[in-house]
Amino acid sequence: MFKIKEEYNMTLPEFVVKDQRFHDLIDTDAVLEAVSVGHKVTEGIIWWPQQNCLIWSDMGVGKVYKWDPETFETTVIKFPSNINNGNFIDPEGRIVSCEHATSSITRMEPDGRYMKTLASHYEGKELNSPNDVIVDSKGRIWFTDPVYGRTSPVAGIRRDQELDFQGVYCIDTDGTLILARKDFEQPNGLCLEAGEKTMLVNDTPRQEIRRFTVEDDLTLGGGEVVCRVDGRPDGTKLDSEGNIYTTASGNLQIFDRNGVLLGNINVPGQCRNFCFGGENNDYLYFACETIWRLRIKAHGIEFFK
């Protein structure tokens, strides 16, 4: 399926076109470029615009890495990571993270010298295992809380669940933890749509992506299913035109905003998550055992403008 060009450390991905609009977004002559190799269970990949670099978690070794596109050097910025999963960069350039081992949302200053726990319990009970996280333009933190960090020996520590549901939460700017919605089997990736009035949330076992309205009280209304996913959806992000990109059972699937499948991108290895990145947000970065990047025609949605 994949032809490796060893001399350039590049790979030809497999493109599966389901709708001709796919060609408006993806250059099917483009090749994958390896930017970092030798990893185990990568997740939480996100572009750090204030630092012009890429970060990701490797849950298999308990580290968070940074990759510099100028030098191509990969360095460790957090160890031990407490089995860090999802990451996001807030408007002030701080790294907000999900820790499976501590069932916590934490925040690290840009220089890495100070770490703060933002949430670990709801109504006196430990959170399950925060998985994916985003920050809106007002600095409010939204995250999903499935149980994977309590059931998987690879991605967490086996232990009993204290809560009897799996929800989506919001940490308001004053630090208040709000349960936004809880009618999920296992909520996973989440993403705000343009204008931050609506949010997409993946429910992995149900193989669906749902659209919610963000209410004034920071709960989530609505909840219609937008996409039926072929596989188990993990990370989800949007391009500037509102198209929906999601990793599902190892590949990347692209839908229009109404849930029509446009096509797939298959990359080597087990791709659990991805992000847009680069100065113009016109690269896709894939978190596999190798971190790959692919130049595309589309641009990732911009926040904090």
Side-chain angles (χ1 to χ4, degrees):
M1 183 182 295
F2 306 106
K3 181 180 178 182
I4 306 296
K5 296 183 177 180
E6 293 290 348
E7 65 272 30
Y8 301 114
N9 206 21
M10 293 182 178
T11 299
L12 295 175
E14 180 188 40
F15 300 107
V16 181
V17 180
K18 298 292 187 179
D19 186 298
Q20 290 304 305
R21 290 174 291 170
F22 184 86
H23 293 289
D24 297 330
L25 309 176
I26 305 297
D27 179 2
T28 53
D29 291 324
V31 297
L32 290 165
E33 183 179 13
V35 304
S36 187
V37 300
H39 301 290
K40 291 187 176 181
V41 186
T42 57
E43 256 286 5
I45 192 166
I46 195 74
W47 188 256
W48 193 353
Q50 297 91 339
Q51 302 279 342
N52 190 39
C53 67
L54 184 74
I55 67 169
W56 67 89
S57 308
D58 189 334
M59 295 187 291
V61 296
K63 296 178 181 179
V64 178
Y65 293 93
K66 177 178 77 171
W67 174 76
D68 186 333
E70 297 296 325
T71 64
F72 258 64
E73 291 182 351
T74 299
T75 55
V76 176
I77 61 171
K78 183 180 179 182
F79 177 74
S81 74
N82 296 321
I83 316 181
N84 204 118
N85 191 335
N87 299 294
F88 204 84
I89 309 301
D90 77 4
E92 297 182 40
R94 300 172 295 189
I95 302 174
V96 181
S97 300
C98 302
E99 295 185 358
H100 275 191
T102 65
S103 298
S104 300
I105 298 292
T106 61
R107 186 176 64 207
M108 186 169 70
E109 295 300 314
D111 61 8
R113 292 186 297 173
Y114 179 67
M115 184 85 64
K116 182 178 182 180
T117 298
L118 304 178
S120 60
H121 291 70
Y122 177 72
E123 294 186 344
K125 296 181 179 180
E126 251 189 2
L127 296 170
N128 299 319
S129 56
N131 185 284
D132 205 355
V133 61
I134 55 176
V135 185
D136 67 23
S137 61
K138 296 180 180 179
R140 300 174 302 199
I141 298 166
W142 302 81
F143 66 94
T144 56
D145 189 39
V147 298
Y148 297 128
R150 291 177 178 265
T151 59
S152 169
V154 174
I157 299 172
R158 289 190 182 276
R159 59 204 192 277
D160 292 337
Q161 182 178 359
E162 295 187 11
L163 295 168
D164 61 0
F165 61 87
Q166 294 74 241
V168 173
Y169 294 85
C170 179
I171 305 175
D172 203 353
T173 53
D174 63 0
T176 303
L177 180 62
I178 298 164
L179 176 61
R181 190 87 173 210
K182 66 176 185 178
D183 59 334
F184 303 95
E185 188 170 343
Q186 297 291 348
N188 201 325
L190 74 171
C191 186
L192 283 162
E193 296 189 280
E196 302 185 348
K197 300 295 185 183
T198 55
M199 179 184 294
L200 300 178
V201 182
N202 294 356
D203 197 326
T204 299
R206 295 175 181 170
Q207 298 179 242
E208 60 189 29
I209 302 175
R210 299 167 65 190
R211 176 176 284 129
F212 299 90
T213 57
V214 178
E215 306 294 350
D216 291 341
D217 63 358
L218 303 183
T219 60
L220 297 177
E224 69 275 14
V225 174
V226 179
C227 302
R228 298 287 183 183
V229 181
D230 181 13
R232 296 170 63 83
D234 196 326
T236 286
K237 295 174 179 65
L238 304 173
D239 68 20
S240 58
E241 300 301 317
N243 297 302
I244 303 165
Y245 298 61
T246 190
T247 48
S249 299
N251 64 13
L252 181 73
Q253 299 177 21
I254 304 176
F255 302 83
D256 72 9
R257 74 175 318 275
N258 297 313
V260 176
L261 179 64
L262 304 182
N264 298 349
I265 304 174
N266 299 325
V267 300
Q270 179 65 32
C271 183
R272 297 173 182 84
N273 218 321
F274 76 103
C275 71
F276 293 93
E279 292 185 4
N280 298 313
N281 256 4
D282 59 352
Y283 279 99
L284 285 174
Y285 287 88
F286 301 89
C288 309
E289 294 78 9
T290 293
I291 305 298
W292 301 100
R293 72 173 177 179
L294 179 74
R295 189 74 173 265
I296 61 173
K297 297 178 182 179
H299 299 265
I301 193 170
E302 293 279 1
F303 292 102
F304 314 141
K305 284 192 170 182

